[in-house]
Amino acid sequence: QVRLVESGGGLVQPGGSLRLSCAASGFTFSTYAMSWYRQAPGKERELVAIISHGGSSTNYVDSVKGRFTISRNNDKNTVYLQMNSLKPEDTAVYYCKVAIILGTTFEHYWGQGTQVTVSS
């Protein structure tokens, strides 16, 4: 079955860095785009970054452009989110997600999330 396991969250001071990892299993990782979302308390879940199946194409929400970098290693079935120059407003639970085609529809799979807290 599809499994996504995030790691790497924690408490960091403003201006600091973290690297999140998402280990995937149960599907052909190299054939699917992967994405990172986040959800802050009292807010809706938002798309942070997405990377194409081969890694050549990426997109980011405006608020993280120039600070976050999404990447992937298809040999290790892992997607990463490098977060630099972190701000308090980046505090959220971060999730990785994959949308897998099943016939004519997509099934969305989420990890359990990892907490990122940016505070002094």
Side-chain angles (χ1 to χ4, degrees):
Q1 68 277 21
V2 174
R3 190 167 184 232
L4 301 172
V5 180
E6 300 98 334
S7 61
L11 173 64
V12 63
Q13 292 187 342
S17 297
L18 283 174
R19 188 175 85 151
L20 306 184
S21 299
C22 172
S25 60
F27 64 102
T28 308
F29 181 77
S30 61
T31 63
Y32 287 96
M34 296 294 298
S35 53
W36 284 97
Y37 282 72
R38 67 185 178 186
Q39 188 166 20
K43 295 189 177 182
E44 292 188 357
R45 194 171 295 190
E46 69 167 346
L47 175 64
V48 175
I50 188 167
I51 186 166
S52 61
H53 65 90
S56 62
S57 179
T58 58
N59 270 295
Y60 302 89
V61 67
D62 285 347
S63 59
V64 309
K65 284 180 181 177
R67 299 189 298 122
F68 290 13
T69 302
I70 188 171
S71 62
R72 64 191 296 158
N73 185 326
N74 284 347
D75 292 332
K76 295 184 177 181
N77 287 3
T78 302
V79 60
Y80 305 97
L81 187 67
Q82 178 67 44
M83 305 186 296
N84 299 329
S85 302
L86 283 161
K87 304 176 181 180
E89 51 263 43
D90 295 318
T91 295
V93 179
Y94 284 72
Y95 302 88
C96 65
K97 193 202 85 169
V98 63
I100 294 177
I101 190 165
L102 296 174
T104 58
T105 63
F106 284 91
E107 185 74 28
H108 297 266
Y109 295 89
W110 298 85
Q112 84 287 352
T114 186
Q115 176 71 48
V116 171
T117 303
V118 185
S119 175
S120 54

